[in-house]
Amino acid sequence: MGRVTNALHRLGTGAEIGFRGPYGNSFPLNRLQGKSLVFVGGGIGLAPLRSLIWNVLDNRDRYKNIDIIYGARSPADLCFRYDLDAWGKDKTINMVTTVDKGDENWTGREGFVPQVLEQVAPSASNAVAIVCGPPIMIRFTFPVLEKLGFAPEQMITTLEKRMKCGIGKCGRCNIGNLYVCRDGPVFTYAQIKDFISSEY
Ligand code: FES
């Protein structure tokens, strides 16, 4: 697709490649322990959430209620179907899957993720919401969480921005005065709420 993948394809067996990183921060696992967790994901935004979800499920006794609200544009766009199936069977969590628009075989829920979140209405008491998805979904999800009683410090997201240097030098990934590569990608809503509507 681009320079890096083309260069990788040109390499022969035994070639050496170098990595730098990982950089940035991570999900605050210590802060999440003992809480109810509400995961809100859209489309490929499930990718960063699923490793955290699996970690939480591997240590299920450290957490209270777990809600997972995940949606995609269509049934074909739902990612990690095997994970969705596994979580759907897990009686210790409340798994809700939705699509913006179903097809002739879809018997599940329809509706945008923020709307479905409002219908499911998980309790904000001793809870943290972790949100990842397309920018528009993230932008509409925070007001719903606020309506449900979540304070900005109780909402976490992980952002994606076009990056270049990855080490906080070029300023390409900034959101307000924060650099996603260096200060993030994981932020509380309290940290980014002043910038999110205009820049994300
Ligand atoms: S990618 Fe260069 S500052 Fe973040």
Side-chain angles (χ1 to χ4, degrees):
M1 294 294 288
R3 279 192 205 170
V4 175
T5 44
N6 280 331
L8 283 173
H9 279 288
R10 280 197 300 274
L11 294 176
T13 306
E16 289 185 10
I17 56 172
F19 287 90
R20 54 177 201 182
Y23 297 115
N25 64 1
S26 55
F27 289 112
L29 275 176
N30 288 345
R31 247 195 72 203
L32 301 182
Q33 286 188 21
K35 310 264 187 211
S36 293
L37 302 181
V38 180
F39 293 95
V40 186
I44 57 168
L46 187 59
L49 291 184
R50 67 184 283 274
S51 53
L52 177 61
I53 293 171
W54 278 122
N55 186 288
V56 164
L57 294 180
D58 284 346
N59 300 284
R60 185 65 187 87
D61 54 334
R62 297 185 194 165
Y63 303 90
K64 301 211 163 2
N65 299 335
I66 295 178
D67 291 271
I68 303 173
I69 295 146
Y70 172 65
R73 208 173 297 179
S74 72
D77 292 316
L78 291 168
C79 298
F80 303 107
R81 297 289 281 257
Y82 40 90
D83 288 337
L84 303 180
D85 288 346
W87 300 334
K89 287 184 192 130
D90 188 328
K91 300 272 179 282
T92 73
I93 59 184
N94 176 32
M95 172 83 214
V96 178
T97 307
T98 182
V99 294
D100 297 353
K101 186 149 180 36
D103 56 22
E104 62 281 4
N105 300 319
W106 179 254
T107 54
R109 199 187 268 259
E110 283 187 351
F112 296 119
V113 168
Q115 293 167 343
V116 172
L117 169 67
E118 191 164 357
Q119 290 158 7
V120 175
S123 168
S125 170
N126 193 30
V128 176
I130 304 118
V131 181
C132 189
I136 185 122
M137 186 214 87
I138 293 181
R139 200 164 349 125
F140 282 98
T141 294
F142 285 134
V144 173
L145 288 168
E146 279 186 310
K147 206 165 153 186
L148 295 173
F150 285 78
E153 296 75 20
Q154 287 174 274
M155 307 179 209
I156 290 173
T157 188
T158 172
L159 298 180
E160 181 71 36
K161 274 275 197 176
R162 192 170 284 271
M163 295 191 197
K164 190 153 187 189
C165 71
I167 53 172
K169 298 289 182 204
C170 72
R172 185 138 165 177
C173 66
N174 79 299
I175 170 163
N177 58 1
L178 298 166
Y179 289 156
V180 173
C181 72
R182 184 194 60 195
D183 305 315
V186 177
F187 297 98
T188 64
Y189 183 49
Q191 288 175 287
I192 57 169
K193 70 182 172 51
D194 292 340
F195 321 118
I196 197 130
S197 54
S198 57
E199 299 198 30
Y200 201 74

